[in-house]
Amino acid sequence: SYAMGWGITQFPNVLEYSHGGNIPGYTAVNLIEFYGDGHFISVVILTNGDQVQVLTNTGRKLALSAMAP
């Protein structure tokens, strides 16, 4: 579930690659969602805030909204 700095998580309908981190004053996350049939969606969120906890879930919601017809 961890490969060269990337977390890899298998959900029922998506394979997720993620990497996040923080330094004082900043928090970031990078998600790549693979939905199958060659469809990848990448979401990058950068913040000027310490320890922002909701970035991964927010990124997942943004990726799903991009898949909407």
Side-chain angles (χ1 to χ4, degrees):
S1 66
Y2 183 80
M4 297 181 67
W6 288 90
I8 303 170
T9 306
Q10 178 69 59
F11 294 106
N13 297 323
V14 64
L15 178 61
E16 177 181 275
Y17 304 90
S18 63
H19 181 79
N22 58 60
I23 60 173
Y26 305 94
T27 305
V29 68
N30 182 0
L31 297 173
I32 301 171
E33 307 284 320
F34 176 60
Y35 293 96
D37 297 333
H39 290 97
F40 288 88
I41 294 178
S42 178
V43 176
V44 177
I45 302 174
L46 309 171
T47 68
N48 291 0
D50 290 320
Q51 302 293 328
V52 179
Q53 300 297 321
V54 298
L55 292 185
T56 300
N57 286 334
T58 302
R60 288 174 181 151
K61 290 176 185 176
L62 287 169
L64 280 173
S65 70
M67 287 293 291

